[in-house]
Amino acid sequence: MELRQMKYFVAVAEELHFGRAAERLYIGQPAVSQQVRRLEREFGVTLFDRSKRAVRLTEAGRALLPHARAMLAAERAAAETMDVVRGEQQSTVRIGTSVGLGLRLDGVLTALSEQAPWLLVELVSGPTTTRLQQVRDGYLHATFVRGADRAPGLELLPLWRDELVAALPAGHPLAERDRVDLADLAGLPLRIASRESNPYLVDVVVDACRAAGFEPAMGPAFTTDQDTLAAIAAGRPSWTVYFASQAAVQPVHRIAFRPFADPARAPSLPTYLATRPGPPSRRLTALLQACNQQAEQPTRQPAY
């Protein structure tokens, strides 16, 4: 019996699907199936009922699952303990990042370098679901998450709210104002991500528009910063939203970022730090302190 086999078994038991378990483990499905069968042969039991439609734990599988999880948890705890025992002068913290953190991320990294100069930082990007799973698996120590208010098996620690600002063509009459009323954007198409790719952002913006008295006219979907802002600047007048912390560092031409006139109704999203449950390691403690320090700082509005 190997820890690798237990890791594969737990992944299949939680996903109840060999294909999804393989994706989660970043290996091929045949390797997962082979190791689970080898484990079954070693124990002399069947751990899963397999059919074309479903995969279910057997009674033996259900009995093994808590012990397998305990073994993997013990492995992670042993690795953390050995990090401390070795007394390394430098250690690495792997952090998942969200698009649009901008100055917020810069502030966290600056505070982290000042408070824990022994710590090396590795930033990892990717879809939210992937980053959350990487935290569960122990590959990431933590990840920033925006909008989501639940993540099974993880703790979501609230950090701050990220304000959104409007991005307009610099030559549009609305760009002459220091702030824009959301209702004044009713006649312009909104370029925003699809709801499938970013439901939290879309829902917050659409709800804010409705509260301002209009249903937003959806323009072409937001693709990349470069292409979308270029299309807004040079094409048919339209608008999009940016996180203020990102707009403050976004290099643009012929685009005006404007905050909304009514701060109480301005759309914003909460940002959390997702971590595994349990006492934080030395690395994670330093990261949490840096995040809390940044959370106390006011959001800097972009320079116009």
Side-chain angles (χ1 to χ4, degrees):
M1 179 179 62
E2 302 175 5
L3 281 171
R4 178 181 59 171
Q5 294 171 329
M6 287 300 184
K7 185 176 182 180
Y8 293 3
F9 163 71
V10 169
V12 176
E14 292 179 347
E15 299 291 342
L16 293 178
H17 191 283
F18 279 81
R20 289 196 296 270
E23 292 178 1
R24 166 174 161 179
L25 295 164
Y26 306 103
I27 59 174
Q29 182 175 335
V32 177
S33 300
Q34 181 184 33
Q35 292 301 322
V36 170
R37 290 195 186 97
R38 183 174 295 176
L39 190 62
E40 290 176 322
R41 287 196 299 270
E42 291 180 13
F43 282 131
V45 296
T46 300
L47 298 173
F48 296 99
D49 285 328
R50 304 165 174 85
S51 70
K52 292 183 179 180
R53 293 187 176 181
V55 174
R56 296 185 178 87
L57 281 165
T58 63
E59 182 177 354
R62 289 191 294 272
L64 177 62
L65 184 57
H67 298 289
R69 284 172 169 159
M71 290 176 65
L72 297 180
E75 179 195 30
R76 290 194 296 268
E80 291 282 354
T81 299
M82 290 303 99
D83 282 346
V84 175
V85 171
R86 282 195 299 269
E88 295 177 335
Q89 291 301 308
Q90 290 190 324
S91 188
T92 300
V93 59
R94 286 185 296 276
I95 310 168
T97 61
S98 292
V99 173
L101 287 172
L103 288 175
R104 290 288 196 185
L105 180 60
D106 182 68
V108 169
L109 297 181
T110 298
L112 196 55
S113 67
E114 294 172 351
Q115 298 171 13
W118 49 270
L119 195 58
L120 297 177
V121 177
E122 182 179 337
L123 300 179
V124 179
S125 60
T128 300
T129 53
T130 299
R131 287 184 283 108
L132 290 173
Q133 190 56 56
Q134 288 174 332
V135 176
R136 294 188 187 97
D137 295 339
Y139 174 70
L140 292 180
H141 297 97
T143 185
F144 292 102
V145 181
R146 189 181 280 119
D149 57 3
R150 60 184 301 273
L154 298 176
E155 291 185 6
L156 290 181
L157 308 176
L159 297 178
W160 55 71
R161 292 195 71 88
D162 278 318
E163 301 172 10
L164 289 162
V165 297
L168 303 161
H172 194 277
L174 289 176
E176 297 176 3
R177 307 176 185 177
D178 292 335
R179 293 177 175 270
V180 297
D181 288 307
L182 193 55
D184 290 338
L185 298 168
L188 297 179
L190 169 62
R191 293 174 178 262
I192 197 168
S194 67
R195 193 179 186 283
E196 291 74 18
S197 63
N198 198 334
Y200 302 103
L201 175 65
V202 173
D203 287 351
V204 162
V205 174
V206 170
D207 288 348
C209 291
R210 289 171 177 166
F214 71 98
E215 189 73 23
M218 293 300 182
F222 191 107
T223 52
T224 64
D225 292 329
Q226 174 181 289
D227 292 351
T228 300
L229 292 180
I232 291 175
R236 177 188 174 192
S238 59
W239 69 290
T240 189
V241 290
Y242 259 72
F243 292 104
S245 55
Q246 181 186 15
V249 296
Q250 181 72 40
V252 293
H253 300 285
R254 296 184 294 166
I255 289 290
F257 292 112
R258 294 292 181 266
F260 295 102
D262 185 354
R265 290 192 173 187
S268 64
L269 280 175
T271 295
Y272 303 90
L273 191 70
T275 67
R276 292 193 301 275
S281 64
R282 185 185 178 200
R283 289 174 288 202
L284 188 55
T285 297
L287 175 60
L288 289 171
Q289 291 173 344
C291 288
N292 290 334
Q293 181 176 324
Q294 175 58 208
E296 296 172 356
Q297 302 297 319
T299 303
R300 190 194 308 173
Q301 293 295 340
Y304 306 123

